[in-house]
Amino acid sequence: MTYFKMKNFKIIAFLSGISIVISCGSSKSKLPEIKPDLITEHVKYDTDDPAIWINPEDASKSIVFGTDKESDGAIYAFDLNGKIIESKTIRGIQRPNNVDLRYNFPVTDSTTTDIIAFTERERKMLRIYSVPDMKPLDGGGFPVFADDSDSNTEFQSPMGVSLYKSAIDSSFYAIVGRKSGPLENYLYQYKITTKSDSLVGFDLVRKFGQFSGKKEIEAIAVDDAMGFIYYSDEGDGIKKYFAEPDKGNEQVSSFGFADFQNDIEGIAIATYEDGTGFLIVSDQQRGSLTFMIAKQMLL
C-alpha cells in the first residue's frame, strides 16, 4: 500500500465518495462526506489497489498506479488529472491484485531506478518493473509460495504485497500475502537483490504472520523508517510485526478489533516531517466507505 509524507494530505483512492471516521479510543466523530476533487477515467474491470510514484524532478508529472483485477487485467497508470497514461500502463496481466513501489533500487553498481511490484495471482507470480520507463526487471516473474506443499492450491495464489527498504542496510524486500492461507506463516518475505544482467534476484528469507481464519489477509503496509509491518486480518484486527528478518517472527502487537464494522481493508502510512504519523485503514463494509485513522507508536 501507499507510503507517503504529508503537510496537508489528501487520501487517494479509486472511489466516487468517501466519508471519514476518526477513531481515538472508544470515541468516534463522524464527519460529512468528502466529495472527490477528480475521478479517474474508467478502466475495463475492477480498479483496486493504488500506489503513487512522486516524480523527483517535477511533482506535477507524478503517476498514480492502480490494479485492474481480472484474467486479462492491467496495471493502469494515471496522471494527476485522472487520465490514463497508455505508454506507462502494463497490460496482459493475469489478475493483478496489489501494487507497491520504492525508490532508488540499485540495478547495477552505478545505476539506480525506482521500482513497482505487483502480484499476478493466476500465474502465482510477483512482478517487478522499473519506473518511470516501465521495463520488466523480473525475467517474466518470480514464483511465490512455491515451496508450500499444502494440497489447497489457493494457498499458493498471491494477493497482497508491500515493499520494504531497510533503514539499516538499504536492502530491498517484498512482503507477499495470499488469497487464502494457513493460520501460521500466512506471509512470505523475499529479498530483492541486484544481478549482473540488469535483472533482479529474488530469495525467500522468512515465513511469518498469524491468521485468524475469519476472512483473508490482503492489505499490507510497511513503515521503512520505523521498521514495522502492518497487515489487515480482515474480520479480526490489524497485526504488527518487525520488518527486519533478523528481529524475529513474534507479533509485536494487534489492535482495532472493536473499531471496524466487518471488513478491515486497505492500509496506508502517512508521516509528518518530524517523523510522527498515522495509519489510515479503510472500513469497507460501513455503508459508504470510511477510514479509521490511528496514531503510530514505536511499539
Side-chain angles (χ1 to χ4, degrees):
M1 302 301 291
T2 302
Y3 175 88
F4 58 98
K5 292 189 175 182
M6 61 188 181
K7 291 183 180 177
N8 297 313
F9 70 93
K10 295 182 179 180
I11 294 175
I12 296 181
F14 297 115
L15 302 165
S16 59
I18 300 172
S19 60
I20 298 177
V21 175
I22 299 178
S23 176
C24 181
S26 60
S27 63
K28 298 176 183 178
S29 60
K30 188 171 183 179
L31 302 179
E33 180 181 4
I34 298 175
K35 300 297 184 180
D37 292 324
L38 58 88
I39 300 174
T40 59
E41 290 185 316
H42 290 291
V43 300
K44 193 173 182 180
Y45 298 109
D46 177 16
T47 305
D48 192 56
D49 186 57
I52 308 159
W53 176 72
I54 306 300
N55 188 314
E57 297 178 357
D58 185 349
S60 69
K61 296 180 181 179
S62 300
I63 302 172
V64 179
F65 293 102
T67 61
D68 191 23
K69 299 191 299 185
E70 192 47 80
S71 294
D72 59 339
I75 302 295
Y76 276 88
F78 301 90
D79 65 22
L80 297 188
N81 292 313
K83 303 298 183 183
I84 295 170
I85 309 172
E86 188 59 43
S87 63
K88 307 296 184 185
T89 294
I90 308 169
R91 297 188 181 274
I93 305 300
Q94 296 179 30
R95 195 174 179 86
N97 207 105
N98 285 54
V99 61
D100 199 13
L101 62 87
R102 286 297 185 274
Y103 299 88
N104 298 317
F105 177 83
V107 288
T108 69
D109 291 340
S110 58
T111 306
T112 65
T113 185
D114 303 336
I115 58 173
I116 61 169
F118 56 91
T119 51
E120 189 171 8
R121 189 194 301 176
E122 293 181 2
R123 293 183 63 231
K124 299 180 173 61
M125 296 279 189
L126 184 80
R127 306 302 311 276
I128 299 177
Y129 278 67
S130 60
V131 179
D133 55 351
M134 311 314 295
K135 301 296 184 183
L137 302 177
D138 54 16
F142 297 110
V144 289
F145 309 115
D147 69 328
D148 197 319
S149 60
D150 195 285
S151 59
N152 186 344
T153 58
E154 280 198 348
F155 281 20
Q156 300 175 357
S157 296
M159 195 176 186
V161 63
S162 184
L163 296 178
Y164 166 53
K165 183 179 179 180
S166 171
I168 296 174
D169 62 6
S170 296
S171 294
F172 283 74
Y173 299 90
I175 294 90
V176 188
R178 30 190 163 182
K179 175 63 179 173
S180 182
L183 299 183
E184 300 286 342
N185 296 331
Y186 198 102
L187 288 82
Y188 281 19
Q189 184 166 348
Y190 298 88
K191 188 172 185 179
I192 306 170
T193 56
T194 303
K195 294 176 62 176
S196 59
D197 55 4
S198 295
L199 297 177
V200 300
F202 197 66
D203 300 295
L204 177 65
V205 295
R206 68 164 170 162
K207 308 173 186 180
F208 72 101
Q210 294 180 353
F211 174 46
S212 68
K214 294 178 180 179
K215 295 191 72 174
E216 62 189 17
I217 295 170
E218 178 181 8
I220 309 166
V222 184
D223 185 331
D224 289 3
M226 301 285 284
F228 291 120
I229 296 168
Y230 301 89
Y231 64 83
S232 294
D233 188 341
E234 297 179 22
D236 191 49
I238 301 160
K239 311 295 173 65
K240 180 178 181 179
Y241 286 78
F242 287 111
E244 288 293 326
D246 62 4
K247 288 193 174 182
N249 297 336
E250 294 299 316
Q251 183 174 281
V252 175
S253 64
S254 58
F255 53 93
F257 298 95
D259 297 319
F260 293 83
Q261 180 167 315
N262 187 21
D263 197 353
I264 306 168
E265 267 280 357
I267 303 178
I269 299 172
T271 61
Y272 291 106
E273 292 179 345
D274 65 0
T276 62
F278 298 88
L279 293 180
I280 304 172
V281 185
S282 62
D283 191 353
Q284 187 162 290
Q285 299 301 321
R286 192 183 293 273
S288 60
L289 182 68
T290 65
F291 287 101
M292 309 294 284
I293 301 179
K295 188 172 183 179
Q296 291 191 83
M297 295 180 292
L298 181 61
L299 288 175

